[in-house]
Structures are given as C-alpha cells and as structure tokens.
Amino acid sequence: MHSHPLRSEGVIFGAEYNPEQWDLATQSQDIPLMVEAGITMVTLGTFAWGALETDDGVYDFKWLRRVMDRLHAAGISVCLATPTACPPMWLYHAHPEMAMTNRTGVRLGQGSRQNWCPSSPAYSRYALRLVGRLAEEFGDHPALAIWHVGNEMGCHNTFCFCERSAADFRQWLRERYGTIDRLNHAWGTAFWGQYFRDFDHIDPPRETTTLQNSAHRLDFARFSSDRQIALYDAERDILKSIAPDVPVTTNFMVTEHISSIDYGSFAEHVDLVANDHYLIADDAQSWRELAFCADRTRGLSDNRPWLLMEHSTSAVNWQPRNIAKTPGEMRRNTLAHIARGADGVMFFQWRQSAFGAEKYHSAVVPHAGTETRIWDEAVALGASVARLAEVRGTTADTAQVAIVFDYEAWWATQLDGHPTVDFSYSTEMRSIHSALLDRGIAVDVVPPKADLSKYSAVVVAGLYMMSQELADKIVDAVERGTHLLVTYFSGIVDSDDHVWLGGYPGALRETLGVRVEEFTPLRAGESVRMQVTDRHPGVAEDELTGSVWAERLRNTTAESLAVYSDPALDGAPAITVRDAVGPTGGSAWYISTHLAPPSLAAVVGEFCRVARIRPAARVRGSHVEVIRRRGDDRSYLFAINHSPKEAFVDAAGTDLLTGEAFTGRIPLRPGDVRVIREATA
Ligand code: GAL
C-alpha cells in the first residue's frame, strides 16, 4: 500500500468554514458544535483574500491564527486554502485589465467571483506574494494538514480572450509546433483558405461568423487548461519552498457537466486528488452520476485514496430547481464516495450564509439552526464515519473492467459541425457505467495513460478523438487477451482532429473487424429497431432499440450479433462481435447506436459473460450498489440500497456501522447502507 498523503487519522469528516462571515458570538459556538458533529478537518480561507490583505501589502493574519489555534486545541485539523480565487476589490481597482474578457470581447464586471484573467501578470504577482506570506505565517502551524490551492481552478475563468491571453496563446503555439508550417498542417488551414504566415497573426478563437476551425479551438482549450495547471504549479512551488512537508492539492470538479480542465494531466501535479461533487437535482437517479464521477476521481488518483473536498448536506442554489436531499440521501452519498475510494468527505459549507450569492445553499448548520433534520443527520453521519477509521488507506478492489476517459476527446466532441447535436460523450460513458453498476461490477474509469493490459475488459464509449498511441495500446491489450467493447463515434479522428481515413472507426477498424461507410444519425425522438441474430443465444432480449445514431457498416472479420430491422438499413449489421483478435486475443465488440437501457443491459450482460466479469457480490434487489475496498489483510464490502424496497446481499462479516455479524445473507433496509468487514479477505 502507498504511504498516505494526509497526516490526519481515520476517515475525514469535514466542512468548509468561513468564519469571516460571522460575528465573534456566533463563531464561539462553532467549534463546540463541530466537535459534537464529529468534524475532524475544516477548509479555511478559501475566499478570504480581502480579509487577509485589506489593502496593498497590508496584512491581517491575526483572526486566522486565532481560529486555527482554537481548532487545533479542539483536535480539528485544517485544510488551508490559498485565497487566490477571489482577489480583493482594491486590486481590481488598481488593475482593471486583470478582469476576464469573454469571447465577444466584453470585459466582465464586478459582483461575482474568480473574475481574473489566467494570463494576467498583475494577478499572478499579487497572488504569489500573498501565497508566500501565508506560507510563512502558517506553514508550521500544528493544525495545518494540507494546502488547498485557490478554489475549483478554472471554474469560471478558464477561457479569457483578452490581448494578454492572446499573446500567451501564441507563445504556447510556438512551443507546441516550432514552425508555422506545422501549425498550418495540424489546423488544416488549407480548408477555407485560413493559412497563417506568422504566429503573431493568430488570435484566440473569438466570436466569429459561423463554424470555426476545430483544431484552432481545440488548441485553445489545451492552452487554457495548461494555463490553470501552470497557475497551480506556481503556487505549489512557493508553498513547497517554505513548508516542504505539507501536502498540496486543489479541488477538482469531476462532474458530468464540467469539462474545461484536463484533470488527467492535472492529477500528476497534486499530492492528493481532491474533488467537489454536487448532485444533478433533475436526475431522479443522481446516485448513478455520483458513482461514475467517484470512479473517475479514483481513476485520476491511480487507485490511491482521494478526498471529497465538497458536497452538500441538502440542496444547492445554482440549478434551475434546487431539490432538497431526502432523509438518508446525504448519508448514502457520503458513504458512496468512501466506498469508491475517498478517505475523507467534506461539505460546502459549515454554516449556511445569511447573505450573499449562496445564502440558499444548504450547509451543516442550516439557517434554522441545530434543531433540524439536517443537523441531526449530520451528527449521526459524523459518528458513522468515525466508525470507518480502519477503512482508511485501503483501495478499491482491483476492477476487471476499465472505461477509458479522455478530456481532450471530450473537448473534441464539443466542436462545431458534427453529425448530430444529440451525441453526448458523458452520456455514452455513463450509460455503460450504469449497465455495469446494475450488475454489481466494479469499474475503473481511467485516463488514456493508464495500463490497460491489466484489465479483463476495456470499454471505449464515444471516444471520438483517439491518438495513435492510445489506439496502439488498446489493440495491444486486446491482442493479449483483454476483451474490448466499443460504441459508435469512437476512434474517428486523430489528436489534430483529422479523420482516420478508409472507413470509420479508423483507429480500431481492423481490431473490431468492421468498416463503417456512413453515419446515419436519427431525428430528435426517433428510434431504430434491431433484431438479435442467433450467434449469441445468451442475449436476454430478441429485439433491441436505439436512438440518436445509426450507421451503415459492413463486417470484415466480425459477425453480427444484431442487425438493423428498419427499412433504410434493413439487415445491415448493428452490433458486431469478433470472437478472438489473434491467437491469444480477447473478443472485440462494436455497438453502432445509442442503445436503450434494457437493450444495453442485455448486450453488456452477454459481454460480461463472455469476458468472465464477476460482480463484487450477489445482490437480490435493484438499485443497489455493491463495491469492495481492500487492504493487505482485510476487505470491506459497501452495500448501498437506493431503492424503497428491502434488498439482500450475499456476504459474510461484521457491519462496521452497527456491529451486527452476518454469516451469509445480509438484509439491507430501504435507503440503508452497510459496510461489512468481510470474514475472509
Ligand atoms: C463549488 C464551490 C463552492 C460553492 C459550491 C456551491 O463549486 O467551490 O465555493 O460555490 O460550489 O455548490
């Protein structure tokens, strides 16, 4: 097992604490309440630049020291944020050019947060000066457990289009391409006569007339993500130079709807991967998205323990309809993150703000105080998390299945001029993840650099852009025995967004044994039907349906598992299987449409049977997650029942949450969670 980056003990139960919003009388109640709730770590200082540097070079660290001393005395450790997300108003006044400029050339105004250009020299100069002062003041404070750089870097300010950003972008392009000819080739500027003579002639992809050069936009996305990582590195280097032993991280936003930063690259720069996750309230089964994001976060941390830096006790306030969590939901969410590898779970925020933009966002201490359901559930949850101390440091059980997830491929799907607006990369991946989740199968969602050959099965879902290197790696794994499942619109273009010619999916065509000659996307709401052939009698359904997409494909070396039955594609292959790729290879499966959930469940079920993929435990019931964490000499089975019905899990051991011992069939009440220390590891 790897050494643990966090100095604190047990599984962390924490919250972001913003005492600067409260008078001293209220603050004096906070720490006793934290102790009552079992809080073991708080994040401090996230938005406190203005309170710590009240004017240019005028610092006030006294209040923060007082709070840290008191927390330390109460045994609560501190995740200290560098407050660089929100520069103070005096700094904007002195450097108005520091504000963000959007795509249309408008410089953004006051009143919100993170409104600074990532390439602004003034911002960096002041931010790094403050980081240095903060590290000198608190780098050796006994409460300090970890630094937290900025906040959700790039959440609101990834893409700035000002002249300073343009200059930085040109420099980045010079370093990437060396010569303008190379750039012209990569960007395909022969199309629409866009040839550049000099790097100095290039602008960021500002608002324009119609479809925009996709490679130009893609490189701006890469540049903008790199800028955020560079800003992190600059702060980290100062923190390390002053307090070398304190780990450094920042909170990622691994979620379904935020794609702007390449966390696959960013993860290599942090000592501990930390994530913020909020439920999509519109989604009645949002626990599925949580599971997918937690598996992605674990993939980013290479299966080492990670930290959930923020989630909510109940509703947020930034979605169209902010639905309150139901009783027990916060507990299930918390334990689901821990099940999937988190060694700590924290809330935004400790006390619900009385004013400001987020006053209707839930917190541990709600507006109504401590005689509330939220408070009672938080206190009970703190006690439950404390009982899981021995789980700390174990890792999720070795998964047999990997889904490859790539941020650059995600960006590429968002570019102009694609076959349909209905294609969604995250939906494709989540559909397969969900189908596996329903079978109780552990999945690693991994970046392209991961070692794929250790998995029994690899899934490539809607991975539109694929480098030669990744394609080679996938093919190599399959030739050595890994089973491959690929869904439509994968492996279509290379890293420059140039199409792999000769029939789609160019990067994997030979391995799959198919050749797609034409995309035939569907109208909104339209569906296609498919008939299952008799090749795989184990497929649970005879007729399958799909939506969004279809295509005209031919089998070269594969055979059809299902054929289209609609008139336009009548009898053409829809789902194909190549039984073995080479003498020792695995099978290669291809799905050419977006399958409806029951159809996907049937195909994934058959794929798992062929690939011999087994669930973490046998479950009787539906909407139940089962996932295992394992240490050198012990293992823990987490079982989470999201349904209103009782379920049963076949396992033996002791429930850490209740102390009950079971010898085989474990009952799981509606909405309940069990964490079983298994009898045999
Ligand atoms: C996060 C952010 C917090 C708070 C929270 C509300 O994105 O880091 O500061 O705004 O969302 O859900």
Side-chain angles (χ1 to χ4, degrees), residues 47 113 151-152 251 276 278 310 316 318 348 358 361:
F47 301 107
R113 66 173 176 182
N151 187 60
E152 295 188 338
N251 41 349
D276 294 352
Y278 292 94
E310 293 181 19
V316 300
W318 44 266
F348 174 84
E358 297 188 314
H361 192 292

Side-chain angles (χ1 to χ4, degrees), residues 85 120 188 205 254 298 307 348 391 472 544 603:
S120 162
V254 175
R298 191 181 68 253
L307 179 66
F348 174 84
V391 171
D472 290 348
L544 309 175
V603 175

Side-chain angles (χ1 to χ4, degrees), residues 619-640:
V619 175
R620 267 161 278 197
S622 62
H623 296 179
V624 174
E625 286 182 77
V626 278
I627 184 140
R628 182 173 285 109
R629 285 183 65 155
R630 194 181 285 282
D632 293 337
D633 52 358
R634 58 200 200 279
S635 68
Y636 303 92
L637 186 74
F638 287 69
I640 308 173

Side-chain angles (χ1 to χ4, degrees), residues 428 488 522 528 530 546-550 564 574 591-595:
E428 286 311 312
Y488 72 97
L522 307 181
V528 276
M530 286 147 275
S547 59
V548 179
W549 192 275
Y564 285 108
I591 302 176
S592 69
T593 181
H594 178 76
L595 288 174

